[in-house]
Amino acid sequence: MSDIYSPRPEHKFTFGLWTVGNTGADAFGEAVRSHLSAADLVYLLGEVGAYGVNFHDNDLIPIDATASERAAILKAFKKALSDTGLIVPMATTNLFGNPVFKDGAFTSNDPKVRAYALQKTMHAIDLGVELGAGVYVFWGGREGIETDAAKDPVAATKRFREALNFVCEYAIDQGYDLKFALEAKPNEPRGDLYFATTGAYLGFIETLDHPEMVGVNPEMAHEQMAGLNFMHAVAQAWEAGKLFHIDLNDQNYARFDQDWRFGAQNLKQAFFLVKFLEDVGYAGSRHFDAHAYRTEDHEGVKDFARGCMRTYLILKEKGARFNADPDIQTLLAEINADDGSVDALKGAYSAAKAAAIKAHAFDREAIATRGLQYEKLDQLTVELLLGVR
Ligand code: DIG
Ligand code: MN
Ligand code: MN
């Protein structure tokens, strides 16, 4: 069925191999779906209408693959990309799955692990660039603790900064046109993760040797796990020029990382997020870092992928309707009306302006009693989302 909510390449919808390739195994149960090869996953994504595919190094090349196995996998993967027209916008390193990373990678207390993590990352960067990636994500899945007795958080921060400075210099040395995107998460699989939120990373980036090369990859479920407003985190990253990538999904509040289909739980938050991205003209990938329910077979995985993209496009249309709705726009104009009476008090500091502000007579009661009509505005928004306007 093709309709106005059917995905097209210009929508830039991408999925990781690990998302549609998730076999459904979890901490409490075995896989429910058979493993599909990377090439087969590319054909699956081509079938549902995705624009691109992302991967961790070991999603594509198993950690102990022989050179001939690696060559065969790459040949099949590249053929699938050519056959489907999908591209590889982003790549990343799995620095969390292998037991060697059980105490972290870049922040591990063991210098051999830290050096091995750099080796693995440089090889993975080479592979990502070879396949066309322009963005490289770092999610510190094991960069954390169960007990703070084991690690000094200042030492961990310094180790992480040293590693990122190193890989930025590596990319420069190799002549790679690559941007790095840091992905925050508050906890899981470690008891606590360092750099728990997108805001924490925005502060950290400015301490790096090449901050211009580094941005963030906010994930909806991760900010929600921290009890935060995801769109606000994205907006702050955008305003700072640091929204280099985004991981879209959903989940119920106060839960572990559920990585649900986009829009499966918090439709109003998803609406404001999509409206923001479209209003500001975000030009990056709309990456769904999400997984189908464990109840699903491979056809269900395709339903999951289609649902992510359809919901995004439906909410994109709702955002356009919000921007064109006469009642909503009239109300917003009233709410933001400015009689110009304090124009002289706006803008940057000057001694004269400070004196004028200190001397200005404000009618505090009159200002305070003004009704702002936000109930009416939000009800109009809800009714638009419910399809009754
Ligand atoms: C999980 O949210 C993480 C890893 O899957 C990956 O490193 C990153 C890329 O989107 N997201
Ligand atoms: Mn997640
Ligand atoms: Mn993610």
Side-chain angles (χ1 to χ4, degrees):
M1 171 189 71
S2 176
D3 60 13
I4 62 166
Y5 307 119
S6 297
R8 298 191 303 273
E10 60 264 34
H11 297 137
K12 292 194 175 180
F13 292 133
T14 64
F15 292 82
L17 286 175
W18 69 92
T19 68
V20 289
N22 183 307
T23 58
D26 62 26
F28 303 97
E30 302 160 26
V32 294
R33 295 182 287 266
S34 60
H35 171 79
L36 296 180
S37 72
D40 286 342
L41 291 170
V42 172
Y43 288 115
L44 182 154
L45 288 172
E47 180 186 339
V48 300
Y51 156 78
V53 59
N54 308 315
F55 63 89
H56 300 84
D57 50 348
N58 300 139
D59 297 335
L60 185 59
I61 311 294
I63 196 166
D64 291 321
T66 64
S68 60
E69 288 166 341
R70 184 183 193 278
I73 290 167
L74 268 181
K75 183 179 177 189
F77 185 70
K78 288 179 179 177
K79 183 178 184 307
L81 292 174
S82 171
D83 291 348
T84 59
L86 265 72
I87 64 165
V88 177
M90 180 271 274
T92 183
T93 326
N94 187 320
L95 294 175
F96 47 85
N98 190 279
V100 74
F101 298 126
K102 61 191 176 187
D103 185 33
F106 295 149
T107 67
S108 170
N109 279 329
D110 186 340
K112 293 189 291 300
V113 173
R114 299 201 297 271
Y116 171 65
L118 280 176
Q119 177 193 86
K120 192 171 195 284
T121 297
M122 287 188 283
H123 286 314
I125 288 173
D126 295 343
L127 177 63
V129 170
E130 177 189 341
L131 290 166
V135 175
Y136 202 84
V137 164
F138 287 99
W139 170 60
R142 298 284 181 188
E143 314 294 6
I145 51 95
E146 284 71 47
T147 169
D148 277 313
K151 200 170 293 177
D152 168 6
V154 171
T157 299
K158 291 182 184 304
R159 289 169 185 166
F160 198 79
R161 178 181 301 115
E162 183 179 276
L164 284 184
N165 286 338
F166 191 97
V167 295
C168 282
E169 292 290 351
Y170 178 71
I172 293 167
D173 241 3
Q174 298 299 311
Y176 292 155
D177 180 15
L178 205 56
K179 294 194 297 188
F180 294 101
L182 307 181
E183 178 176 339
K185 187 176 180 182
N187 60 70
E188 190 196 31
R190 298 303 298 267
D192 289 292
L193 292 178
Y194 297 123
F195 306 111
T197 65
T198 294
Y201 266 138
L202 289 173
F204 174 72
I205 286 167
E206 296 313 314
T207 72
L208 296 173
D209 292 348
H210 298 281
E212 72 287 352
M213 293 176 66
V214 187
V216 290
N217 174 45
E219 176 171 318
M220 190 159 189
H222 297 178
E223 299 296 318
Q224 288 172 331
M225 284 172 71
L228 300 176
N229 181 312
F230 181 61
M231 188 268 279
H232 292 181
V234 170
Q236 183 182 353
W238 170 268
E239 199 275 339
K242 292 295 182 182
L243 187 64
F244 286 8
H245 198 262
I246 193 166
D247 276 3
L248 300 174
N249 52 23
D250 204 352
Q251 71 169 61
N252 207 336
Y253 78 99
R255 297 291 197 283
F256 59 92
D257 190 12
Q258 293 175 309
D259 288 339
W260 279 352
R261 183 182 79 258
F262 182 65
Q265 183 72 28
N266 303 295
L267 277 175
K268 200 174 177 186
Q269 289 183 35
F271 165 72
F272 284 119
L273 185 273
V274 170
K275 183 177 181 301
F276 177 83
L277 293 177
E278 297 302 322
D279 284 353
V280 300
Y282 168 70
S285 295
R286 277 76 170 159
H287 176 232
F288 298 106
D289 186 3
H291 306 271
Y293 300 142
R294 191 166 179 266
T295 52
E296 303 308 292
D297 60 11
H298 288 303
E299 287 308 307
V301 169
K302 295 176 192 174
D303 295 336
F304 147 80
R306 291 187 186 102
C308 286
M309 297 184 282
R310 284 185 63 79
T311 298
Y312 186 101
L313 292 174
I314 292 166
L315 293 176
K316 177 181 177 181
E317 186 212 21
K318 295 289 187 185
R321 289 166 64 84
F322 180 100
N323 292 339
D325 186 294
D327 295 335
I328 289 174
Q329 293 308 313
T330 300
L331 206 42
L332 284 171
E334 284 177 27
I335 289 167
N336 292 290
D338 179 351
D339 61 8
S341 62
V342 292
D343 283 355
L345 308 185
K346 295 174 183 174
Y349 177 86
S350 71
K353 194 172 294 178
I357 292 170
K358 290 176 81 171
H360 189 81
F362 292 97
D363 183 345
R364 194 178 61 247
E365 277 75 27
I367 296 169
T369 54
R370 180 183 169 216
L372 300 180
Q373 305 185 78
Y374 288 2
E375 282 290 351
K376 185 189 291 184
L377 175 63
D378 191 67
Q379 181 61 25
L380 288 172
T381 305
V382 167
E383 291 186 10
L384 182 143
L385 291 177
L386 293 175
V388 298
R389 62 179 301 113

